[in-house]
């Protein structure tokens, strides 16, 4: 009887939070249904969508592999939904996907084939592409992930440069359960980085697959200012929490070896948050957070803030902000060019 039950379980569980945007969610589900590999379940976790959205998507459940699950727990958010999806997932392998993206028809099958060849690994990383105006663009130069081009992936995550995203990967469910990995529902951004850093720190073994891009990250244009969103109090606190968590996590494992790179990640945040000038309270909170974990880099940040505030009286805000951080910005551009040259999508 146990053998019969086991044979009915899906090979792959796809975990997908969604909230409204019914047409885009429908297109994503269509791309999953179009996959040539058929032994999967889709756990579409509703994060409080409208009745209209749920009615629109209901016809997909005619396929028994598609399950819509309503989030009943709090807080609201994709992380809570992903944790709920993990509780319900029955597959041997897990894939975390976003509801407005795109899977190529070969995506699921290719990932299963590769990870089953590598019994020594707990997850595998696959190259991604972008999806613009419903067109899959495998050779786009930006917003692509999952290529083995970073010398040290943990360094990349510390810098907020993201070597790969969770949707780049396929995971062994048993490995995630054994490591007791969960999604941190306090994070409004960097959720993927946090989850993957947790996985690496827990000792999960992984490698990159050298194949054609199989996942399309949908790119939107004219969706509003990133800086306005990231500097609002809730998102700003979340970003500070993410940086503090990185400091704590890395220092527990490696001492102060990665402090420089986490600080560079803070500078990346700083450059995005203060596009309209320095917010004194937010700058103070950022300095205090860094000083709590590294007196040295906290002092550097404090100097930079003071220099920027002085320069704002004489120069445009962007110049005033970036002039004290020229060495960092130059090194960032150099890394971008180096990584871009290394990325060669397989046809």
């Amino acid at each position: 009887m146990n053998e019969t039950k086991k044979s009915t379980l899906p090979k792959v569980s796809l975990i997908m939070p969604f909230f409204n945007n019914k047409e885009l969610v429908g297109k994503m589900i269509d791309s999953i249904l179009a996959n040539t590999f058929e032994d999967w379940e889709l756990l579409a976790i509703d994060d409080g969508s409208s009745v209209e959205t749920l009615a629109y998507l209901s016809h997909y459940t005619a396929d028994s592999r598609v399950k819509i699950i309503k989030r009943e727990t709090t807080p609201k958010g994709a992380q809570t939904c992903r944790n709920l999806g993990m509780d319900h997932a029955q597959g041997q392998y897990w894939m975390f996907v976003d509801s407005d993206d795109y899977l190529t028809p070969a995506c699921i099958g290719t990932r299963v084939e590769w990870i089953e060849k590598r019994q020594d690994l707990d997850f595998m990383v696959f190259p991604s592409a972008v999806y613009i105006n419903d067109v899959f663009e495998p050779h786009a130069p930006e917003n692509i992930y999952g290529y083995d081009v970073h010398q040290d992936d943990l360094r990349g995550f510390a810098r907020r440069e993201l070597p790969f995203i969770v949707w780049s990967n396929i995971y062994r469910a048993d490995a995630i359960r054994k490591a007791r990995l969960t999604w941190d529902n306090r994070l409004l951004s960097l959720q993927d980085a946090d989850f993957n850093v947790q996985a690496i720190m827990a000792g999960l073994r992984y490698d990159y697959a050298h194949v054609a891009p199989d996942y399309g990250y949908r790119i939107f244009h004219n969706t509003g200012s990133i800086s306005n969103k990231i500097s609002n109090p809730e998102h700003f606190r979340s970003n500070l929490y993410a940086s503090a968590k990185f400091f704590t996590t890395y220092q527990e494992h490696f001492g102060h070896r990665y402090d420089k790179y986490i600080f560079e990640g803070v500078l990346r945040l700083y450059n995005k948050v203060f596009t309209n000038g320095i917010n004194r309270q937010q700058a103070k909170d950022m300095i205090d957070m860094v000083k709590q974990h590294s007196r040295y880099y906290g002092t550097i940040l404090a100097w930079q803030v003071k220099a920027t505030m002085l320069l704002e009286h004489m120069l445009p805000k962007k110049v005033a902000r970036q002039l004290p951080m020229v060495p960092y910005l130059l090194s960032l551009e150099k890394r971008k060019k180096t990584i871009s040259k290394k990325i060669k999508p397989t046809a």
Side-chain angles (χ1 to χ4, degrees), residues 18 29 42-46 53-61 65-71:
F18 73 93
I29 297 176
L42 170 62
L43 304 175
I45 315 299
D46 170 38
T53 295
L54 295 175
Y56 178 88
L57 298 174
S58 62
H59 74 277
Y60 285 106
T61 59
R65 297 173 298 175
V66 178
K67 304 173 180 68
I68 295 179
I69 301 171
K70 183 176 178 60
R71 174 189 57 77

Side-chain angles (χ1 to χ4, degrees), residues 188-305:
L188 301 179
S189 57
L190 287 185
Q191 305 100 320
D192 293 70
D194 176 70
F195 189 86
N196 282 315
V197 166
Q198 284 189 63
I200 296 171
M201 297 295 194
L204 269 64
R205 302 156 298 174
Y206 72 99
D207 198 1
Y208 289 81
H210 301 282
V211 294
D214 65 4
Y215 188 99
Y217 169 52
R218 187 182 290 273
I219 299 296
F220 297 94
H221 297 293
N222 300 319
T223 56
S225 170
I226 293 175
S227 63
N228 287 341
K229 180 178 179 181
I230 203 171
S231 61
N232 79 50
E234 189 178 16
H235 278 263
F236 181 77
R237 285 194 299 270
S238 173
N239 271 284
L240 280 194
Y241 167 70
S243 295
K245 186 174 182 181
F246 269 14
F247 270 119
T248 300
T249 302
Y250 279 76
Q251 288 176 357
E252 284 177 352
H253 286 79
F254 306 109
H256 294 279
R257 188 194 314 175
Y258 284 88
D259 284 4
K260 173 186 176 182
Y261 310 114
I262 301 170
F263 177 60
E264 289 179 351
V266 174
L267 289 181
R268 192 182 187 96
L269 172 65
Y270 175 94
N271 195 38
K272 290 181 178 180
V273 168
F274 299 128
T275 55
N276 297 318
I278 296 291
N279 178 304
R280 289 175 181 267
Q281 185 58 54
Q282 289 184 336
K284 180 182 184 301
D285 291 344
M286 189 178 285
I287 292 168
D288 290 345
M289 181 277 295
V290 177
K291 281 187 174 180
Q292 182 179 354
H293 299 279
S294 169
R295 176 66 59 177
Y296 175 74
Y297 288 109
T299 301
I300 292 176
L301 182 59
W303 172 87
Q304 182 172 314
V305 169

Side-chain angles (χ1 to χ4, degrees), residues 19-64:
F19 176 66
N20 292 329
N21 290 319
K22 60 184 182 181
E23 290 88 357
L24 296 183
V25 179
K27 289 178 180 180
M28 179 57 166
I29 297 176
D30 287 337
S31 76
I32 294 170
L33 291 168
N35 263 251
T36 54
F37 183 89
E38 298 180 343
D39 190 8
W40 50 261
E41 65 173 351
L42 170 62
L43 304 175
I45 315 299
D46 170 38
D47 196 28
S49 300
S50 67
V51 172
E52 179 185 4
T53 295
L54 295 175
Y56 178 88
L57 298 174
S58 62
H59 74 277
Y60 285 106
T61 59
D63 187 318
S64 61

Side-chain angles (χ1 to χ4, degrees), residues 14 26 28 144 172 176 179 197 289:
L14 295 103
M28 179 57 166
I144 53 178
R172 292 188 192 277
I176 292 180
V197 166
M289 181 277 295

